[in-house]
Amino acid sequence: MPFKINLLSQSLHNNVGKIVIVHGWVHSYRKMGGIAFLVVRDGFGTIQAVVDSTPTLEICESLTRESVVTVTGLLVAQKNVAQGAEIQAQSIECIVAAEPPPIEIDREKTFRKIDLDILLKNRAMSLRNLNVRAIFKIQTAICKLFRDFLDSQGFTEIHSPKIVKMGAEGGSEVFKIKYFDDLAYLTQSPQLYKQIMIGVFEKVYEVGHVYRAEEHNTSRHLNEYVSLDAEFGFIESEQDIIVLHQELLKYIFDGLQERCKFELELLRVELPRFTELPQIKLYDAISIVNNEFNYVCTKPGDLDPEAERLICKYAKKRYGVELVYITRYPVNKRPFYTMPVSLEDSQLTRSFDVLFRGLEITTGGQRIHDYQQIKNNITKFGYSEDDFQGYLDCFRFGMPPHGGFGMGLERLTKQICQLDNIRSATLFPRDRNRIVP
Ligand code: AMO
């Protein structure tokens, strides 16, 4: 009985010398004299099949790229190929013949030169490229590791609604939707719900899509992205959140090193290693950028993208790591739920951003937990208390000091894989001009 194998599974090496069956797609094909080399790709990897006899050779010649095939043959050890083994094909069956693909995905040099716009238009094909696929293998592993770490810390996963009546992050960047005869919004963040859930589970997390109606058409903004959120109670200050976040990052990086060795090597990317990450107060960061790089931020009192890049460069030089926590953001730059440093220091907050290789990947901080204080802030920020009744209830009925963070999955993937554009880290990006495919 022939053995059915997945190409990158352990069984490849264990089955040298056996007759195997491989199901997959025709990745590439070349002929040299009377021998053909057919590379088959499945969901795990690729393997070369050597074809040297008719009628198999004839079938091979008639195959278009991406056709779905079944190859049966003897698996033999072969030092010169990446997988260390190849198949001496005995039979090739074409299950589904494919139309000629619009882009060539098998030659990395040519593929790299294709415009991102074309890759996104032909997403069903471009995602099949091995390097592109590796990005999303890594992304999936990030989500898994995020969940594993927080599960191990006693967090409970939640699923909050995406159709909402109350905005969370302020600003006008919300998508309005017609909800029967009413008006509703697509959520900008699970913020208010994850806070409510503190009263239930004490420690919660969510992996879910969020929506931002920003007009930005940049290499770091999407209109729909996946937010990795965590929130927990009984904290002393934002430092507890920073410690948890830092341990989470370590866990993700170590986990990727182990689970995605093949993908990281394929993409030729290295992950940061650290024991403790630096923290720099926002106003100090602005001065550092000014003094060290002679750069004046275009956003007064804040870091613009160039300043974020420079402060990471500074962190790399000074602390040996391209990751840094920027703390003490002013009240007027943060949403209404953010905890001020203290009554005496009410202009600065216990919130932070995390910059990684020049880009913000996370925002977090301690939240206001006092009923009167949060009510006052809602009014101070110009919102109606009535719209927040369901949220305010959790404070009325006892809320501990708490806080958390939200991390953009695509931004983290982009920075880990060192990609130029966030769209390359998104399966089917939604941006200012793109809602298909
Ligand atoms: P914030 O609005 O800063 O904070 O978002 C958190 C993180 O989400 C990512 N992000 C984006 N990614 C892609 N496209 C966008 N348009 C986009 N906007 C934001 C970034 C950012 O750091 N509720 C708070 C989080 C918290 O305090 O818990 C929030 O949503 O990586």
Side-chain angles (χ1 to χ4, degrees):
M1 180 75 177
F3 190 77
K4 206 170 110 184
I5 58 168
N6 289 329
L7 299 181
L8 265 192
S9 68
Q10 296 297 326
S11 52
L12 189 64
H13 299 286
N14 297 342
N15 288 287
V16 166
K18 290 187 191 156
I19 300 289
V20 296
I21 299 178
V22 169
H23 299 302
W25 289 260
V26 174
H27 189 63
S28 68
Y29 169 78
R30 79 197 146 88
K31 205 173 163 198
M32 279 170 72
I35 303 181
F37 299 92
L38 178 75
V39 176
V40 180
R41 186 190 71 248
D42 74 1
F44 303 87
T46 59
I47 195 161
Q48 176 166 280
V50 185
V51 187
D52 58 4
S53 63
T54 40
T56 314
L57 256 178
E58 283 166 12
I59 298 172
C60 220
E61 273 170 30
S62 69
L63 288 173
T64 45
R65 275 163 205 248
E66 296 306 311
S67 289
V68 179
V69 292
T70 298
V71 177
T72 307
L74 181 68
L75 188 68
V76 294
Q78 174 56 270
K79 275 196 215 118
N80 303 330
V81 295
Q83 293 74 4
E86 66 184 13
I87 299 174
Q88 286 174 355
Q90 292 170 349
S91 79
I92 294 175
E93 190 188 345
C94 180
I95 312 288
V96 177
E99 286 181 28
I103 49 174
E104 277 188 27
I105 60 154
D106 60 306
R107 289 195 205 111
E108 277 314 321
K109 262 193 187 159
T110 335
F111 187 83
R112 238 175 280 145
K113 288 187 192 137
I114 304 175
D115 196 62
L116 181 58
D117 208 36
I118 295 175
L119 296 182
L120 295 177
K121 271 194 186 115
N122 296 285
R123 207 54 174 151
M125 262 319 289
S126 64
L127 286 169
R128 294 184 185 191
N129 167 267
L130 294 179
N131 283 24
V132 174
R133 186 165 92 167
I135 295 168
F136 295 101
K137 259 270 174 10
I138 289 173
Q139 187 164 82
T140 298
I142 294 172
C143 285
K144 176 92 178 76
L145 291 160
F146 176 80
R147 287 190 164 101
D148 285 354
F149 177 76
L150 292 172
D151 286 342
S152 76
Q153 302 297 309
F155 282 66
T156 301
E157 182 167 9
I158 59 165
H159 306 281
S160 65
K162 302 303 158 220
I163 300 176
V164 296
K165 193 65 191 165
M166 47 191 185
E169 305 304 322
S172 56
E173 291 117 12
V174 280
F175 285 108
K176 290 181 183 147
I177 55 165
K178 189 175 165 338
Y179 193 69
F180 304 107
D181 295 329
D182 203 355
L183 171 71
Y185 305 105
L186 291 181
T187 193
Q188 290 174 299
S189 133
Q191 182 65 40
L192 307 186
Y193 292 96
K194 65 176 178 170
Q195 284 186 259
I196 294 174
M197 291 309 289
I198 294 293
V200 183
F201 292 129
E202 195 184 312
K203 297 173 167 192
V204 295
Y205 71 87
E206 176 157 1
V207 177
H209 279 98
V210 296
Y211 302 86
R212 303 278 169 114
E214 26 205 355
E215 300 279 340
H216 297 122
N217 211 357
T218 74
S219 60
R220 58 187 196 287
H221 287 99
L222 295 164
N223 293 111
E224 177 186 59
Y225 70 91
V226 175
S227 188
L228 304 173
D229 275 89
E231 197 79 12
F232 60 111
F234 302 100
I235 60 170
E236 299 221 337
S237 74
E238 76 283 11
Q239 288 305 320
D240 292 338
I241 308 160
I242 290 179
V243 167
L244 182 94
H245 184 269
Q246 188 174 277
E247 291 310 306
L248 167 70
L249 284 183
K250 254 189 235 166
Y251 187 86
I252 291 178
F253 293 145
D254 288 350
L256 288 180
Q257 207 70 64
E258 212 175 282
R259 290 178 194 206
C260 294
K261 200 166 172 294
F262 172 79
E263 286 77 15
L264 293 169
E265 277 172 14
L266 191 67
L267 298 175
R268 299 204 183 99
V269 289
E270 281 194 18
L271 297 171
R273 282 173 190 280
F274 56 88
T275 40
E276 206 182 329
L277 293 172
Q279 295 184 23
I280 304 175
K281 294 190 178 100
L282 175 68
Y283 291 145
D284 292 342
I286 295 171
S287 309
I288 288 170
V289 164
N290 205 247
N291 299 338
E292 298 275 324
F293 302 99
N294 205 14
Y295 182 75
V296 182
C297 294
T298 52
K299 282 189 195 170
D302 206 348
L303 298 174
D304 59 21
E306 177 58 9
E308 288 181 350
R309 198 183 64 77
L310 293 173
I311 205 74
C312 285
K313 197 170 162 192
Y314 170 81
K316 175 85 180 155
K317 200 169 122 206
R318 173 92 163 70
Y319 306 101
V321 63
E322 301 153 281
L323 267 157
V324 54
Y325 289 87
I326 306 295
T327 61
R328 294 286 191 263
Y329 276 79
V331 165
N332 62 5
K333 296 262 188 280
R334 289 308 209 208
F336 71 92
Y337 52 76
T338 316
M339 181 72 119
V341 169
S342 62
L343 282 178
E344 300 75 49
D345 191 354
S346 61
Q347 291 316 303
L348 297 179
T349 63
R350 296 192 170 277
S351 70
F352 59 87
D353 273 1
V354 186
L355 309 182
F356 174 31
R357 293 180 172 156
L359 180 71
E360 176 201 314
I361 53 157
T362 302
T363 295
Q366 183 170 356
R367 329 297 187 186
I368 295 171
H369 61 275
D370 178 75
Y371 179 47
Q372 206 51 52
Q373 195 180 356
I374 190 77
K375 249 178 26 155
N376 293 346
N377 244 27
I378 286 175
T379 315
K380 209 155 98 192
F381 273 69
Y383 306 128
S384 152
E385 216 184 285
D386 290 346
D387 290 342
F388 288 87
Q389 220 47 62
Y391 172 65
L392 282 173
D393 278 353
C394 75
F395 300 91
R396 278 172 70 203
F397 304 124
M399 190 66 156
H402 66 282
F405 58 84
M407 181 155 67
L409 175 64
E410 295 82 355
R411 283 202 185 178
L412 180 59
T413 312
K414 170 184 182 296
Q415 296 312 87
I416 285 176
C417 299
Q418 303 194 350
L419 307 169
D420 291 336
N421 197 309
I422 194 165
R423 290 163 184 78
S424 302
T426 314
L427 283 175
F428 302 100
R430 297 297 177 245
D431 63 24
R432 192 69 187 78
N433 310 310
R434 193 175 279 107
I435 46 168
V436 286

